[in-house]
Amino acid sequence: MKIAVVTGASSGLGKEFARQIPHLYKKLDEIWVVARRENRLKILAERMEERERISVRIFAGDLAKDSVYERLASALCEDQPDIRMLVNCAGFGKMGRFGEIPEKEQLSMIDVNCRALTRMTLVCLPYMSGGSRIVNAASAAAFSPQPGFAVYAAGKAYVKSLSHALAAELKERQIFVTAVCPGPVDTEFFRRSGKLPGRGGRLGRADAGAVVKRALRDTAVKRQLSVYGAPMKAAGILSKLLPDAVTAAVMKRINDI
Ligand SMILES: NC(=O)c1ccc[n+]([C@@H]2O[C@H](COP(=O)([O-])OP(=O)(O)OC[C@H]3O[C@@H](n4cnc5c(N)ncnc54)[C@H](OP(=O)(O)O)[C@@H]3O)[C@@H](O)[C@H]2O)c1
């Protein structure tokens, strides 16, 4: 049985990945989706079974807790599927000064954005084979330290770095890894993140469908990095040319923090 696994499928980019993957990978038997809001996943599953004619298996649960991994691991062990694509998309951000965001939120960001992504990859990797793909939701925030978004940006730098390292390690198994690094995207992300006072908070937001389309194309041609839009591509290049202390000072001004 060939499957794709998508975390964060109840909304935004993850939901788009779940919807678009069957159009690109036509031989999938099932998509397994993970998020906390079971109702949202049920609605997605009904729509996909009707429109994309693909079965969707729901794993509702909190990726910061053990139970969802245990259920997923036992389903994998029982069915022995061939995971053709793993999309680690669950994540969230919280903006504000480092000392002013509650400790619980900061640590939870690390748990979901870094720890959960790492754990999901460890759980799924034994079921992946030649030609399969891992797609990790990083962010353009990974390009530079971000005063006002410090823990989020540091976590996304972890995701980007891990993705490149895994891409190198897994090349011999012909498993290809892509870190997706968009700038702001129009999703529910900003309901939870809040907004910074500066220009950074007023940047235009890309369409989630277009970002995912680009990411799936980049994944198909084995690109390690998927960056949507010219401004974020320029930001990525600039961040390689300038020292971190300089880009951090620039971001501090942009975010007006
Ligand atoms: N939107 C942007 O501007 C932007 C830009 C760059 C990168 N990204 C990254 O893209 C990814 C998707 O974000 P999005 O924009 O699509 O945001 P979103 O619409 O808020 O979706 C976030 C998803 O993550 C899931 N999630 C969050 N915490 C979870 C937890 N503890 N356990 C299980 N699932 C959890 C949510 O599901 P439940 O709430 O149902 O659990 C939801 O499905 C994130 O990693 C984000 O950092 C977003």
Side-chain angles (χ1 to χ4, degrees), residues 200-221:
R202 295 197 292 275
L203 282 175
R205 293 178 193 171
D207 172 65
V211 171
V212 168
K213 196 171 175 187
R214 168 85 269 153
L216 286 173
R217 279 193 189 150
D218 287 335
T219 301
V221 297

Side-chain angles (χ1 to χ4, degrees), residues 75-247:
L76 288 169
C77 182
E78 195 168 312
D79 291 1
Q80 295 288 318
D82 179 5
I83 302 179
R84 303 312 297 156
M85 183 176 274
L86 164 65
V87 181
N88 283 306
C89 210
F92 78 99
K94 198 83 198 160
M95 298 180 194
R97 285 179 178 276
F98 179 77
E100 290 168 9
I101 302 170
E103 181 182 316
K104 203 174 162 204
E105 291 266 42
Q106 308 256 33
L107 297 180
S108 173
M109 248 187 288
I110 299 170
D111 285 344
V112 181
N113 297 351
C114 304
R115 215 167 168 271
L117 176 141
T118 308
R119 189 168 178 184
M120 274 302 295
T121 308
L122 285 167
V123 168
C124 291
L125 195 52
Y127 299 90
M128 302 186 85
S129 59
S132 62
R133 305 291 200 269
I134 298 173
V135 180
N136 288 332
S139 165
F143 295 152
S144 144
Q146 293 239 9
F149 216 8
V151 170
Y152 178 77
K156 292 301 182 180
Y158 168 91
V159 173
K160 182 171 169 289
S161 171
L162 179 76
S163 302
H164 286 306
L166 276 182
E169 274 193 30
L170 295 174
K171 201 173 174 192
E172 61 207 36
R173 281 176 63 187
Q174 292 285 294
I175 296 172
F176 302 101
V177 186
T178 302
V180 183
C181 295
V185 187
D186 193 12
T187 68
E188 291 172 21
F189 180 89
F190 294 96
R191 287 194 200 163
R192 192 168 179 189
S193 70
K195 216 173 167 190
L196 290 166
R199 271 177 291 151
R202 295 197 292 275
L203 282 175
R205 293 178 193 171
D207 172 65
V211 171
V212 168
K213 196 171 175 187
R214 168 85 269 153
L216 286 173
R217 279 193 189 150
D218 287 335
T219 301
V221 297
K222 303 169 189 170
R223 282 210 178 98
Q224 287 190 27
L225 209 57
S226 177
V227 184
Y228 182 82
M232 292 307 139
K233 283 190 176 119
I237 293 165
L238 265 180
S239 70
K240 283 201 181 306
L241 300 174
L242 298 170
D244 282 351
V246 173
T247 55

Side-chain angles (χ1 to χ4, degrees), residues 1 9 15 27 29-30 36 49 51 54 91 104 128 135 171 180 191 208-209 220 226 231 249 251 255:
M1 175 171 63
K15 187 159 110 184
K27 290 186 180 155
D29 298 296
E30 285 186 7
R36 288 166 302 181
E49 280 162 9
R51 289 183 197 166
I54 187 160
K104 203 174 162 204
M128 302 186 85
V135 180
K171 201 173 174 192
V180 183
R191 287 194 200 163
S226 177
M251 289 312 301
N255 291 340

